[in-house]
Amino acid sequence: MYKKSNYVLCATDELKKNIDTKVSNKVSHVSPNGVDTTFFDPNSIDSALNKKVREKINPGDRKIVLYQGNHGYAHGIHHFINAYSKVSGLVRSKFKICFVGGGSAKNDLMSLAKKYKFTVDEMEFYEPVKQDELKAYISVSDLGLVTLEDSSFARDSRPAKIYPLLSMGKPLFFIGEGEGLEILALSNSNYLLALPANELDIIEKVNMLDSFISNTTKGKAELGRKFCIDNMDWKVIVKNWLSLMRPNSGNFTGDQ
């Protein structure tokens, strides 16, 4: 299939390297996942839907930590839950961890949370939601959680769930390495890093979360959003790969 194609669009830098090595006579281009920054805009929210979602979460005085998207085994979410069970009750009383979405590992993750006897005030799982409701979940959250397994596959991936969070100006707790971390570093946004599958490091960083959230800056939130607008908006990504395939398509505006 690669040999018969004229162009190869690759989701990550590492995949491009592999394609260039194995199919050296083809034109390859990194065309990553992106985000609709016009939709995921913190200045354009549905107040009524936000209120409904917040009431559904019912966090009380707790800060909302949101994991949104696929609950797969490659994401290493179980490492976070294992580590979180070892955090003091005093620290856990400051947060409500919300997992929104589905995936192959979800039932196992729910069983793990049940094993540790987390209350719904501490941790709760929600079914997948439509995009407008997902935006509301992000809007009312205080922190986005993105986790990856400790594997070469995970290091070579770019978690798409990063982009809506950055576009909405949210701080991130990123548990991982590789291209996802490189994206965050380039964004100059508010993020806290923990090593993947390293429970001791995850525990240490969870103990810092309350202070981290309190000290995030509006300036860095705006930088994260600007990074998405300039680099990860779907209009920019489509324009880039159209320019590759049609060199004279420089007048593409994103609305065509």
Side-chain angles (χ1 to χ4, degrees):
M1 182 173 66
Y2 291 129
K3 291 181 179 179
K4 291 181 179 180
S5 62
N6 294 316
Y7 303 94
V8 181
L9 299 179
C10 309
T12 68
D13 290 327
E14 191 61 31
L15 182 56
K16 183 183 186 305
K17 291 177 185 177
N18 290 336
I19 293 296
D20 289 346
T21 300
K22 296 174 183 177
V23 194
S24 58
N25 63 329
K26 297 298 177 181
V27 176
S28 65
H29 177 69
V30 176
S31 183
N33 284 312
V35 62
D36 182 348
T37 60
T38 301
F39 179 79
F40 287 103
D41 181 350
N43 298 310
S44 175
I45 61 172
D46 183 333
S47 298
L49 185 54
N50 275 23
K51 183 174 183 292
K52 180 180 177 182
V53 167
R54 188 169 184 87
E55 288 174 349
K56 183 178 180 180
I57 296 173
N58 190 25
D61 295 331
R62 295 170 182 257
K63 292 181 172 70
I64 299 171
V65 178
L66 174 68
Y67 178 97
Q68 44 84 27
N70 185 33
H71 297 45
Y73 290 100
H75 299 110
I77 305 169
H78 62 288
H79 297 301
F80 171 79
I81 295 178
N82 285 333
Y84 201 67
S85 72
K86 299 176 176 68
V87 173
S88 72
L90 178 61
V91 171
R92 293 204 308 268
S93 70
K94 298 177 181 180
F95 307 104
K96 176 159 184 179
I97 314 296
C98 299
F99 291 98
V100 180
S104 57
K106 183 170 182 177
N107 287 338
D108 288 343
L109 296 171
M110 293 175 69
S111 296
L112 187 60
K114 185 176 180 180
K115 169 189 170 183
Y116 290 128
K117 299 180 180 179
F118 290 125
T119 68
V120 293
D121 290 331
E122 294 177 307
M123 184 178 292
E124 193 166 9
F125 290 80
Y126 301 86
E127 292 302 307
V129 296
K130 293 182 179 179
Q131 196 173 48
D132 57 344
E133 191 171 349
L134 174 62
K135 179 181 174 181
Y137 270 98
I138 295 174
S139 181
V140 302
S141 68
D142 297 285
L143 178 76
L145 172 65
V146 179
T147 74
L148 290 173
E149 185 57 90
D150 183 16
S151 68
S152 59
F153 173 80
R155 285 188 289 275
D156 295 341
S157 68
R158 295 185 181 186
K161 57 178 63 68
I162 287 176
Y163 305 132
L165 294 164
L166 289 181
S167 186
M168 291 288 286
K170 295 297 176 177
L172 271 76
F173 180 28
F174 183 75
I175 303 173
E177 295 177 319
E179 291 196 30
L181 177 57
E182 291 171 9
I183 291 293
L184 286 176
L186 288 171
S187 75
N188 291 310
S189 58
N190 294 295
Y191 68 92
L192 183 66
L193 172 68
L195 297 173
N198 188 319
E199 290 187 15
L200 289 177
D201 194 44
I202 295 171
I203 291 169
E204 179 182 348
K205 300 305 168 51
V206 168
N207 287 329
M208 298 166 56
L209 281 183
D210 190 44
S211 174
F212 168 70
I213 294 171
S214 298
N215 288 289
T216 55
T217 67
K218 182 179 179 181
K220 285 200 168 187
E222 291 173 347
L223 285 174
R225 174 163 171 75
K226 185 178 186 302
F227 173 81
C228 286
I229 292 171
D230 292 345
N231 301 279
M232 309 314 301
D233 189 279
W234 280 118
K235 292 179 181 178
V236 174
I237 290 170
V238 171
K239 181 178 180 179
N240 287 341
W241 66 254
L242 277 179
S243 297
L244 171 76
M245 293 186 287
R246 300 195 317 224
N248 296 322
S249 63
N251 292 328
F252 175 74
T253 64
D255 298 319
Q256 296 170 290

